[in-house]
Each structure stands twice: as C-alpha cells, then as structure tokens.
Amino acid sequence: MTSIIAACDLEVGYGPIPVLHGLELEVNAGEVVALLGPNGSGKTTTLMALAGALSPSRGEVRWKGEVAHLPLYQRTRHGLSIVTEERSVVMSLTARQNLRLARVDPEAVVVDYPELADHLDRKAGLLSGGQQQILTLARALARRPDALLADELSLGLAPQITSRLLTAVRSAADSGMAVLLVEQHVRKALQVADRVYVLRQGRIDWSGTAAQALANQSRIESSYLGGN
Ligand code: ATP
C-alpha cells in the first residue's frame, strides 16, 4: 500500500502545551480512514497539522514518504485538499462560476453530481446548505487531489445529505484518493471507512478496521461518553 500522508511521533499545540502527544497515523492511497474521538480530543488539530497550518514541536508529517515542509497553501497546490464544515464557496457567484474559478469543468461535475445540474446558474448563496456543501466537495474532488482531509463535512446537514457526501468520499477513495475523515455520525462514517483511529486526549486510544470498530462499537462509544 502507498502511504500518502502520515503523522510520525507528532507533537503539536497552540502554545507551549501540546494537544497531540506523539501521534502516529497514516492514510494510504485508496482508503477512507475515519478519525473519531470526543470533543476536544484533537481531531481538528490533527488535520490542521497534517495540512501544514500548525507546525509540530516534535515529530513530522510525511507526504508520500518524504518529510513535508511546505506551508499550507503550497500543500494544497501539490495534491492535498481540505474540506471543512464551512462551505467555502463564494456566495455571490453562481455554482458554475465557483467551479470555473477553481478550474473545474461544470459539465463534468454534473455527470457525477446530477443534483447540481439544475442549480449551476444560481448564486451559491441561494443554494441550500446541503447543496452548498455538495458543491464544495464536488469542486474539491474534481481537482483529483491525492489526499482529502475532511473535517465534519456534514455538520448541521440533513441525514440524506450526510449520506450523499460520504458516498462521494467513498467513491473518490475507490478511484485511488487517500481520505482522512472526521465525522460526528460515527455509524455512517464506519459504513464508508476502511480503517479507524480513535483519539483521546491527543493520543490514539484505539485503531483497527472499520469492521472491528463496528464489532467494538460499545468500547468506542464509551470513549466518547467518558469525555475526552
Ligand atoms: P471537536 O470535536 O470539538 O471539534 P476536536 O477533537 O476536533 O474537537 P480540537 O479542536 O483539535 O479537538 O481541540 C483539541 C484541544 O485543543 C482542545 O483542548 C481545544 O480547546 C484546544 N484548541 C483547539 N483550537 C485551539 C486554539 N486555536 N487555541 C488554543 N487551543 C485550542
């Protein structure tokens, strides 16, 4: 398996006190890896460190086997994509203009996302939250990044939109992308994930396959209920 992005002994914080304590994880080409854990356990911090938005005080991020030194904006030009709960489309532009701005062909996007076909010429600000997020994700995936870091894509959205976003993420991985997925809907995340890491207080508390996680769901849920 080809490791696309990995955290090696990663220690990261926002000041002198670390939030991640020697974190080890990796995401390979073609897999969806779910990063689960209670609020404040360090999931977003992990994604920000992998993306290069936070510098480690110890350890390193590896990109395709090499130590990653590039800052965030350069990593996103070299095959890394980040999508968060914030729908990062330009609300005053149409869906079509948003796609063109990212050098993405709108006609190709609607083949994979037919639900956007009737909305291409509407301003993004007039789309529903779910449509905005599908547009955000479609735009990111259409650029065929090597890795996608997805942070709470479905926050505040209806269950069928959550399923739609996760299905899109799964098919992207099936075509070779490495996906690290932070998702509050644990069961839905496990349905599309290959492997799972559970974070607790900035450390990996459990890791295994999604099938093992489903079998151990009570243990994983107790990690949530126990606070961070
Ligand atoms: P949630 O599910 O609530 O988003 P999370 O698992 O993503 O939580 P993080 O957001 O990574 O967790 O937060 C981990 C720890 O880092 C928490 O204790 C949080 O208070 C702290 N933290 C997060 N962002 C900052 C910041 N900008 N400055 C200082 N501390 C921060």
Side-chain angles (χ1 to χ4, degrees):
M1 274 194 282
T2 315
S3 172
I4 300 294
I5 195 160
C8 307
D9 192 26
L10 203 62
E11 183 183 272
V12 179
Y14 296 91
I17 301 166
V19 167
L20 303 179
H21 308 274
L23 191 79
E24 299 271 348
L25 64 76
E26 75 176 329
V27 190
N28 299 308
E31 64 176 359
V32 175
V33 173
L35 181 61
L36 307 176
N39 289 344
S41 57
K43 304 180 296 294
T44 297
T45 304
T46 301
L47 298 196
M48 289 301 106
L50 290 173
L54 293 170
S55 301
S57 45
R58 197 184 77 216
E60 63 207 20
V61 171
R62 289 189 163 256
W63 175 253
K64 299 180 186 170
E66 314 243 313
V67 179
H69 289 300
L70 294 176
L72 174 65
Y73 71 95
Q74 287 194 17
R75 287 188 201 184
T76 56
R77 279 190 205 148
H78 286 85
L80 180 67
S81 186
I82 309 155
V83 178
T84 71
E85 81 264 22
E86 290 166 35
R87 292 134 213 168
S88 57
V89 285
V90 183
M91 298 298 173
S92 58
L93 297 181
T94 65
R96 187 187 301 278
Q97 289 167 331
N98 268 283
L99 294 168
R100 289 227 170 102
L101 198 63
R103 297 170 195 269
V104 166
D105 174 9
E107 303 310 324
V109 163
V110 297
V111 173
D112 289 333
Y113 303 88
E115 62 268 62
L116 293 177
D118 289 340
H119 303 292
L120 279 182
D121 294 311
R122 293 186 75 194
K123 285 200 169 150
L126 297 176
L127 301 178
S128 70
Q131 289 164 338
Q132 288 170 357
Q133 191 63 311
I134 290 171
L135 179 62
T136 303
L137 183 63
R139 182 184 60 180
L141 296 181
R143 304 190 71 192
R144 307 216 176 281
D146 298 309
L148 172 75
L149 305 177
D151 194 2
E152 306 264 22
L153 289 184
S154 69
L155 202 71
L157 300 176
Q160 64 270 33
I161 302 289
T162 306
S163 303
R164 177 66 184 106
L165 294 166
L166 294 181
T167 308
V169 158
R170 180 68 253 173
S171 12
D174 289 340
S175 66
M177 201 175 294
V179 180
L180 185 58
L181 178 70
V182 172
E183 172 57 56
Q184 56 171 343
H185 296 99
V186 173
R187 182 162 277 275
K188 280 184 193 260
L190 293 180
Q191 280 163 359
V192 297
D194 298 292
R195 290 192 298 117
V196 178
Y197 293 99
V198 178
L199 262 185
R200 191 178 171 88
Q201 294 186 327
R203 292 184 168 86
I204 303 292
D205 186 50
W206 188 91
S207 67
T209 65
Q212 288 167 334
L214 280 164
N216 270 291
Q217 214 174 339
S218 57
R219 158 126 170 51
I220 287 172
E221 277 164 0
S222 74
S223 151
Y224 286 71
L225 297 171
N228 90 41

